Amino acid sequence: MPKLQKKRSSTPCLGICSTTFGDEVCKGCKRFAHEIVGWTKYSQGEREIVNDRLEKFKIQILQHRFAVTDKNLFESMLEEKAINFNHSLDPLTWIFDLFRAAGSQSFDLGNYGIKSLNEFNPKTIKDEINDELLELSEAHHDSCLLYTSDAADE
C-alpha cells in the first residue's frame, strides 16, 4: 500500500520543537513560534506560504552543494528507508531530510540519485546545513519584527 504523501500545506514539524523552551524560531522545523501555535488555525494557503519560505531557504543552501540526478530513484530510496519528506516540495529539499535522518551514518549519495557539487565533510554537513537554515530563518524572523515595528511607529 502506498504511503500517504505530504501536501504543500502539510506541517513541517519534526517533533523536536524548541519553542517550548522559549525559542522564537524552532530549531527543528525552523518555523516561527507564532506559526507553530497558530498552525491548526491557518488556512491551507497560509500553511503553503510558510512551507514556500522554508523550501526557498533550503534550496538557497543546497543548490550550490548538491544536485538531484535521478528524482525517481531519490524518492523511492527515501520511501524504502522510511525517511519522512514532503513529496510536494522541490526534490533538492529532500536532501535536508536525508541528512537529518542519516545522522552520523555515512552513505553513498549516488545510491540516492544525488551528486555532490563540492567536497564536503560527511561528519559535519548535516549540522552545517541545519545551522545555515536556522540562521536564515532567524534573520527572516528578525526582519519581520523590524518591519512590523517600523510600521507600528508610523
Side-chain angles (χ1 to χ4, degrees), residues 116-130:
S116 175
L117 302 177
N118 300 303
E119 290 290 321
F120 69 92
N121 182 339
K123 294 182 189 312
T124 61
I125 189 68
K126 174 188 143 200
D127 290 336
E128 290 170 20
I129 292 168
N130 194 50

Side-chain angles (χ1 to χ4, degrees), residues 31 35 39 42 46-54:
R31 285 180 294 167
E35 292 171 339
W39 191 259
Y42 278 16
E46 289 169 320
R47 292 176 184 186
E48 289 173 359
I49 289 169
V50 173
N51 277 327
D52 286 348
R53 180 186 74 233
L54 296 173

Side-chain angles (χ1 to χ4, degrees), residues 59-95:
I59 291 170
Q60 181 179 337
I61 293 165
L62 296 167
Q63 67 185 346
H64 302 293
R65 288 182 164 111
F66 302 99
V68 176
T69 57
D70 188 336
K71 176 189 179 250
N72 294 331
L73 173 62
F74 191 16
E75 185 173 12
S76 68
M77 287 297 290
L78 291 174
E79 288 172 350
E80 179 183 312
K81 303 286 185 187
I83 295 173
N84 188 15
F85 70 104
N86 190 324
H87 296 77
S88 70
L89 300 180
D90 187 303
L92 194 60
T93 68
W94 305 347
I95 295 171

Side-chain angles (χ1 to χ4, degrees), residues 24-25 32 34-35 49-50 53 57 136-152:
E24 286 297 316
V25 177
F32 306 155
H34 70 272
E35 292 171 339
I49 289 169
V50 173
R53 180 186 74 233
F57 287 166
L136 281 173
S137 294
E138 288 175 337
H140 185 75
H141 178 266
D142 292 347
S143 71
C144 288
L145 284 179
L146 285 173
Y147 177 76
T148 52
S149 174
D150 289 345

